[in-house]
């Protein structure tokens, strides 16, 4: 199984939180400019790569999940369902607002009122606020999944 202690998970979580605003700012700057400043072809793809990086840091990539599942005599999907893992949703290509909605992290008010305004202002690009929210949700899901896989409960925090 994964060799992460609760203390290691907490330290990694704090370090990754420090990356969130920088990543969101870089995405926002790229979205606002007509030039691909940072080599980002798609902000959704870039944010999904960042979410995957979080999963790598907590040893919950698809390859890790295959190994954990095999160790328990389950398929990867059975393992994901048994542990009720959420961060695996970030391995799918989808639009960021759609992923937030699927995780129940986006309010209808944001989707109906704020999102059209933001996309109009940033030419259909992901805004700083949406990027921040997505990255926080992705990190929280990865941390929660790492705790589940390692047998830590919320009361252990």
């Amino acid at each position: 199984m994964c060799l992460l202690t609760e203390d290691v998970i907490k330290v990694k979580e704090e370090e990754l939180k420090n990356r969130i605003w920088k990543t969101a700012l870089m995405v926002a700057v790229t979205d606002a400019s007509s030039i691909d400043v940072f080599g980002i072809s798609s902000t959704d793809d870039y944010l999904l790569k960042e979410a995957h990086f979080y999963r790598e840091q907590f040893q919950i990539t698809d390859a890790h999940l295959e190994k954990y599942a095999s160790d328990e005599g389950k398929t990867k999907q059975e393992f994901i369902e048994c542990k009720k893992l959420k961060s695996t949703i970030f391995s799918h290509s989808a639009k960021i607002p759609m992923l937030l909605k699927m995780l129940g992290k986006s309010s209808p008010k944001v989707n109906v009122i704020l999102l059209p305004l933001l996309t109009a202002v940033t030419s259909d690009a992901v805004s700083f606020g949406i990027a921040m929210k997505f990255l926080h949700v992705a990190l929280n899901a990865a941390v929660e999944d790492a705790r589940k896989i390692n047998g830590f409960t919320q009361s252990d925090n």
Side-chain angles (χ1 to χ4, degrees):
M1 289 305 269
C2 195
L3 299 176
L4 296 176
T5 65
E6 179 63 23
D7 289 339
V8 170
I9 291 171
K10 286 180 183 177
V11 168
K12 285 183 178 239
E13 179 182 20
E14 287 306 311
E15 287 299 315
L16 293 171
K17 278 182 182 177
N18 291 331
R19 287 174 58 110
I20 289 176
W21 75 268
K22 296 171 193 170
T23 303
L25 182 61
M26 187 168 65
V27 166
V29 167
T30 300
D31 284 348
S33 73
S34 58
I35 303 169
D36 186 0
V37 180
F38 298 106
I40 299 172
S41 59
S42 161
T43 54
D44 284 358
D45 289 344
Y46 188 77
L47 291 172
L48 287 171
K49 283 180 187 174
E50 184 70 7
H52 183 74
F53 177 74
Y54 299 161
R55 291 179 64 212
E56 287 173 343
Q57 298 309 302
F58 292 107
Q59 300 174 4
I60 51 177
T61 62
D62 290 340
H64 286 100
L65 294 175
E66 290 280 354
K67 169 97 173 76
Y68 303 148
S70 175
D71 290 347
E72 290 190 13
K74 297 178 179 175
T75 67
K76 182 178 87 171
Q77 191 57 40
E78 290 170 338
F79 182 79
I80 289 168
E81 290 171 7
C82 172
K83 296 287 186 179
K84 298 180 181 167
L85 304 180
K86 294 179 182 176
S87 67
T88 57
I89 195 170
F90 300 115
S91 64
H92 306 291
S93 288
K95 296 293 183 192
I96 300 307
M98 175 71 77
L99 288 171
L100 289 172
K101 186 175 181 181
M102 289 171 69
L103 287 169
K105 302 295 182 184
S106 183
S107 70
K109 185 184 237 180
V110 170
N111 288 338
V112 173
I113 298 169
L114 190 56
L115 191 56
L117 176 62
L118 289 174
T119 56
V121 170
T122 62
S123 301
D124 293 2
V126 178
S127 72
F128 178 79
I130 291 173
M132 288 285 292
K133 181 172 186 142
F134 173 78
L135 293 171
H136 277 288
V137 168
L139 178 57
N140 290 339
V143 168
E144 183 180 317
D145 287 356
R147 287 186 172 124
K148 288 176 185 175
I149 290 170
N150 287 283
F152 302 117
T153 62
Q154 289 299 89
S155 61
D156 292 338
N157 296 337

